[in-house]
Amino acid sequence: MEYMVNIPIHLLMIAIFPPLLLGVINRTKAFFAGRNGAPTLQPYHDIIRLWQKGSVFSPTTSVIFRAGPVLTIAAIVAAALMMPLGNHPAPISFNGDMILFAYLLGLARFFTIAAALDTGSSFEGMGGAREATFACLAEPALFFSLVVLARISRSISLTGMLNDFPPTIWFGSGAALLLMVGALFILLLAENCRIPFDDPNTHLELTMIHEVMVLDHSGPALAAILYGASLKLLLFGALFIHITVPFRSGSFLLDWCAFTGAMILLAIIVGVVESTMARLKLTRVPQLLIAACILSAFAMLLVMRQTS
Amino acid sequence: MISPLILIVTATLTASVAGLPLLISPVRGERTSCGIMLAASLLGITGALQALLSVGSERWLISWGLPFGPAEIGIDPLSAIFLILIFLVSACCSIYARGYLPASENRDTAPKLSTFFGILTGSLAGIVIARHAVLFLMVWEIMAIACYLAITIESRKKEVREAGLLYLITAHFGTLALFVYFSKIHSLTGSFSFPESGTLSGSSEAAAAIFIAALIGFGLKAGIMPLHIWLPSAHANAPSHLSAMMSGVLIKMGIYGIIRTVSLFSSIPFWWGVTILLLGVISGVIGVIFAIAQHDIKRLLAYHSIENIGIILMGIGVCLMGVSNNIPALVVLGMAGALLHTLNHAIFKSLLFLGAGAIIHACGSREIDQMGGLIKKIPLTALFFLVGAVAICGLPPLNGFVSEWLIYIGLFKGMLDADTLNDPYFALAAPALALIGALAAACFVKVFGIAFLGSPRSDAAAEAHDTPLSMKLPMGILAGFCILIGLFPQGIAPLLQITAASIFPVAAGAALISESASLGVLSAVSALLMILIGVAALLYKNRLSKSPVKASETWGCGYLAPTARMQYTSSSFAAILNSLFSSLLRPHTKDPDINGYFPKNQSFRSHTPEALLEKVYLPLFDNANSRLSLFRKLQHGKLHLYILYIVVTLISLLAWSHFRMRG
């Protein structure tokens, strides 16, 4: 019964909730800057308006440029079906789904970069090269964390690892978890192109990554990209929140509300980080990502020692 | 019903003579040659499938009057899997050759190449059915020499001759290790026939010597880092369909040898599995890092072969660690992953090499930075290349993901099941595989993006001409297999299970991989992904048809006269990764020297050579050369004196054995 209700809620959640996170982040940043800022629901307006707009295509581009956003959004949505949300099992869960999850995001990245290179602009080539490079450094950190989670939960699926994450684990393996949470937060910021890795606001600077890759996309394609980016934030946020807020009330409605609240809180924290930090020099980005790898690798070593 | 071995022997012999009609009649024989090759492949694949499905193994004794005992050939599931990939790839390559190197335009090279190609195919099939050391070494040598002759077909070019020579030297070094290998086996069993699988003990010192000799001998052929030095230049300089055959099939003979070797033993020491897993991680990570730095498309693909050999070795490592810890699930997952990746790599890498050949055919250069915008000139080739590129990155929903998936599940399960014993290896290998995957994706998005997308970077690329059907067809077939295996992995799983169980009997007790690795669910999620892509594409298309669509130049940051030369190049795309790994790669760069307000025209060049060859092996051999110059007097080119050496050696050996028997 509960399962039957949870699937529609899960689907609704991935369909409707993600742009709100962007709104909350922007609102927080406006607050720190002493501005009123755009309404919290502005990203929804943006997406709807872009969806209705016309498109501009460069004659340099080919079918890849049009296929890019389509494949990207499909891959991210497929990945979203495997990530448990709100302390409930994901609609699709099986042994090894965390690998498929990571690789679906890889597929999305592949086609985002390919579409960027299709424009023939050096600017977008730059963004693509950076995205590809930083992904190489982020991927091992994610997998070290997955190894830690697999060891702790003795399960090899995302639902098994994250759902019912018992709070008591924090007493047993607190040190390891703390290191891993640090790594995951760095990953969350890097994968979603937030400060200190990337600045989602100023896409006209030579140091940008994600924004510059999608510079030539317009209209409905841009709407899809914007929504896809916010959905990815939700997915990484869910991974983070299930570990840091491992409480479960028993009532499924309360759990969903708690999850939503925690996600909004996370968005506020991201907003605070963005407001109080400067973006890193580009040459420092790899160092921070390697630090995330090392943190999660240490977490893995600690967990290994403990249980064997 | 004809016995599978008859079919396979017929196919092997037929393939070996497939080039003859072309040699006799340089133009009219082309169709016949290709037809014979296809017939041989059909026979061979039928025989191999029959052998796999009947799950039997068969052995024939052939008395040949040599003093090593009767020669033996045989077929079992392991041989059958390798036969399938040999005949599949060779059939595709021989169709491709008709468009790539038509005999009417290449009267001197095409007949020779197709003759050597036929002999190469026959000898490859011979290797996997040989069950006798001397026979094995003979076909192994025929393979090495046929391949050398085929690589150096354009022997007028200096770099081709050099690449061929390097290949020949390393091939013979490998054969030397195999002599040691077989004589060690002979000293254990007293026979030159291969022992039955699972009959040798793995714990003896002789077993360790056999294992190490196999790693060197077969590792040189497979291109395991650091024994890979011949691979990049040979693959780059050979004709493209031969590169496909080498990368897809020839280097797999090394993998075959390693699997065959470990199957001979009843127990596997733990360090064997760890060594192979570690070699796999090293080959995988360093191979792909070198690949990213390349700007010659075929050299780049060659380094990816090293990477994929690494992934295959990781699978074998998981399997061996499963055998020594007695965990059947790991044995099956590791071996099935390794075998499937071997087959998959044969498919997508030959597809990519054939695609690279089509690009070279279209715009006449191997330099990625001379290409660009080719998707508009050769759209079908671009599509097939894209399928190959996504598959080799191990991205879903194509075949590369399935085999990496099996290895991942093996690693994760190993970490959970074997935790009291030896887990750090499993747990450390999983992130390494993830790193390999991400680096491969960076590399292939670069190749595809720079070569096929954007605007043409040279006149040749702007005027690229279309690919003939005979070249598109084999690429289409291979791309079809990439998609088929990716979407329906459960179809091939039983064959892998049978093979794994035939190699290590302990695997027979394991659960079905379709279930332990949830291949059915994986297939369903892949189908769901396809549906989602379809829905998104329809929605987007519908939206585009209802809203205004305008064409306008790519935004040039306000610069009014952008040119194609301002695009990102392959070296600029790889620049950050190259600088991160520069201590490993040792690139040669020539930096521009810009000073003053009006600097002159400047140029930048960078090239990443084979660092290990240049920095380690060549200095080592130069040193050896100067120190051992005394012995060079023995080698003077006078044939009659060489024969004298042989006679003297034989007589002294006879004398030695005579005295030993007396004493």
Side-chain angles (χ1 to χ4, degrees), chain A residues 51 54-60 71 94-96 99 103 107 114 119-120 122 125-126 136 143 147 151 154 216 221 304, chain B residues 376 394 396 405 408 415-416 419 423 427 434-435 453 518 521 533 540 543-544 548-552 554 566-568:
Chain A
W51 182 251
S55 314
V56 182
F57 292 107
S58 155
T60 316
L71 284 158
F94 54 99
N95 275 352
I99 301 158
Y103 273 67
L107 182 71
T119 60
S122 53
M126 242 176 242
C136 295
F143 271 77
V147 168
R151 266 308 274 254
R154 310 210 62 81
D216 264 78
M304 288 288 173
Chain B
K376 297 204 178 74
W405 162 269
Y408 266 124
M415 189 187 69
L416 295 186
D419 55 1
D423 35 33
L435 177 66
L453 307 178
S518 5
V521 192
I533 292 173
Y540 185 43
R543 195 60 236 160
L544 281 182
V549 172
K550 216 169 66 173
S552 171
T554 299
M566 290 166 65
Q567 291 177 96
Y568 239 43

Side-chain angles (χ1 to χ4, degrees), chain B residues 254-567:
Chain B
I255 296 295
Y256 168 78
I258 290 172
I259 297 182
R260 178 64 74 195
T261 307
V262 293
S263 80
L264 301 178
F265 294 93
S266 56
S267 57
I268 304 281
F270 187 69
W271 65 270
W272 290 17
V274 176
T275 309
I276 290 206
L277 187 73
L278 205 68
L279 283 174
V281 169
I282 293 172
S283 302
V285 175
I286 302 185
V288 68
I289 289 173
F290 268 95
I292 290 177
Q294 306 302 319
H295 43 78
D296 170 335
I297 189 164
K298 286 175 74 179
R299 265 185 91 84
L300 181 145
L301 291 175
Y303 276 108
H304 274 286
S305 300
I306 301 169
E307 171 223 327
N308 280 283
I309 288 292
I311 297 176
I312 295 169
L313 287 180
M314 288 172 81
I316 300 177
V318 170
C319 165
L320 294 185
M321 286 157 85
V323 175
S324 32
N325 286 344
N326 202 15
I327 306 173
L330 289 194
V331 182
V332 174
L333 285 168
M335 189 46 79
L339 288 172
L340 184 59
H341 203 73
T342 307
L343 182 64
N344 285 344
H345 181 248
I347 294 171
F348 55 62
K349 185 47 80 60
S350 45
L351 167 60
L352 288 167
F353 266 117
L354 297 185
I359 299 175
I360 296 165
H361 183 265
C363 68
S365 170
R366 297 199 318 238
E367 285 295 319
I368 301 171
D369 290 336
Q370 298 293 315
M371 304 167 187
L374 289 175
I375 194 170
K376 297 204 178 74
K377 305 284 175 188
I378 42 175
L380 261 183
T381 305
L383 176 70
F384 297 145
F385 195 92
L386 179 65
V387 169
V390 173
I392 200 175
C393 298
L395 293 173
L398 298 181
N399 60 349
F401 178 71
V402 179
S403 40
E404 287 191 24
W405 162 269
L406 291 173
I407 297 170
Y408 266 124
I409 301 271
L411 289 171
F412 271 91
K413 269 201 196 304
M415 189 187 69
L416 295 186
D417 293 350
D419 55 1
T420 46
L421 296 160
N422 318 296
D423 35 33
Y425 307 105
F426 292 112
L428 285 168
L433 191 50
L435 177 66
I436 295 172
L439 286 166
C443 189
F444 272 95
V445 79
K446 166 187 114 167
V447 178
F448 183 74
I450 306 290
F452 286 101
L453 307 178
S455 25
R457 288 177 175 76
S458 66
D459 294 341
E463 283 147 26
H465 48 86
D466 198 18
T467 321
L469 180 68
S470 54
M471 286 164 76
K472 283 182 213 157
L473 181 71
M475 287 193 272
I477 295 172
L478 293 168
F481 276 110
C482 287
I483 298 169
L484 192 71
I485 299 178
L487 290 182
F488 304 105
Q490 66 275 52
I492 202 166
L495 300 183
L496 301 171
Q497 188 115 24
I498 291 168
T499 314
S502 82
I503 298 168
F504 288 115
V506 56
L512 288 177
I513 34 173
S514 312
E515 282 159 30
S516 61
S518 5
L519 290 181
V521 192
L522 183 65
S523 168
V525 177
S526 300
L528 178 73
L529 177 68
M530 298 311 282
I531 294 171
L532 282 172
I533 292 173
V535 170
L538 273 180
L539 274 175
Y540 185 43
K541 203 170 168 215
N542 185 35
R543 195 60 236 160
L544 281 182
S545 66
K546 283 187 187 151
S547 57
V549 172
K550 216 169 66 173
S552 171
E553 289 299 318
T554 299
W555 192 69
C557 317
Y559 189 69
L560 290 179
T563 71
R565 288 189 57 205
M566 290 166 65
Q567 291 177 96

Side-chain angles (χ1 to χ4, degrees), chain A residues 13 17-25 28 83-87 185 188 192 229-245 255-271:
Chain A
M13 202 66 179
F17 185 52
L20 184 70
L21 298 174
L22 297 185
V24 172
I25 293 176
T28 314
M83 173 62 80
L85 301 176
N87 251 330
F185 192 66
L188 171 90
N192 292 292
S230 63
L231 180 55
K232 199 172 164 191
L233 180 62
L234 174 74
L235 298 182
F236 275 89
L239 179 63
F240 185 77
I241 278 181
H242 277 105
I243 300 161
T244 46
V245 192
D255 276 343
W256 277 112
C257 294
F259 174 76
T260 315
M263 274 312 297
I264 291 173
L265 192 68
L266 179 68
I268 295 175
I269 294 173
V270 172

